[in-house]
């Protein structure tokens, strides 16, 4: 179905972006490293996807920061944000 497929695309995009952000932030990221990585990660997606990414990152910034600092996987974080199904 279209909805499930759309969700699958969003889920894989979310995990891809968060993997990038995770590698940009480094192994033991502090808040500043994560914030900088969030901005850089979204910029790499181009204009249209970058805007969507930025909106999501602004909405979930604190949650993403916290979970990256806890060492959660990108998939776990996207599931917690309701983008991926568990």
């Amino acid at each position: 179905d279209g909805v499930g497929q759309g969700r699958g695309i969003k889920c894989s995009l979310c995990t891809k972006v968060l993997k990038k952000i995770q590698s940009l932030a480094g192994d033991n990221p502090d808040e500043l490293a994560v914030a900088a990585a969030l901005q850089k990660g979204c910029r790499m997606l181009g204009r249209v996807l970058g805007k969507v990414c930025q909106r999501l990152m602004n909405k979930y910034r604190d949650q993403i920061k916290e979970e990256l600092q806890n060492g959660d996987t990108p998939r776990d974080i996207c599931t917690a944000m309701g983008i991926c199904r568990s």
Side-chain angles (χ1 to χ4, degrees), residues 4 6-15 18 56-57 60 64 75-86:
R7 184 177 295 230
I9 293 167
K10 281 183 185 158
C11 177
S12 64
L13 228 146
C14 179
T15 49
L18 280 174
L56 268 176
M57 295 307 143
Y60 295 106
I64 292 168
R75 176 74 194 209
D76 288 341
I77 299 170
C78 292
T79 302
M81 293 186 325
I83 296 169
C84 296
R85 268 184 252 150
S86 50

Side-chain angles (χ1 to χ4, degrees), residues 25-36:
D27 285 339
N28 202 356
D30 60 7
E31 219 166 291
L32 285 174
V34 175

Side-chain angles (χ1 to χ4, degrees), residues 4-55:
Q5 201 173 1
R7 184 177 295 230
I9 293 167
K10 281 183 185 158
C11 177
S12 64
L13 228 146
C14 179
T15 49
K16 196 158 54 187
V17 169
L18 280 174
K19 274 183 191 145
K20 188 78 198 157
I21 288 167
Q22 200 174 36
S23 71
L24 287 169
D27 285 339
N28 202 356
D30 60 7
E31 219 166 291
L32 285 174
V34 175
L38 284 174
Q39 280 198 315
K40 225 181 267 176
C42 286
R43 240 183 270 133
M44 294 170 150
L45 291 173
R47 230 176 65 209
V48 177
L49 283 177
K51 276 188 180 156
V52 174
C53 174
Q54 204 65 57
R55 220 174 297 133

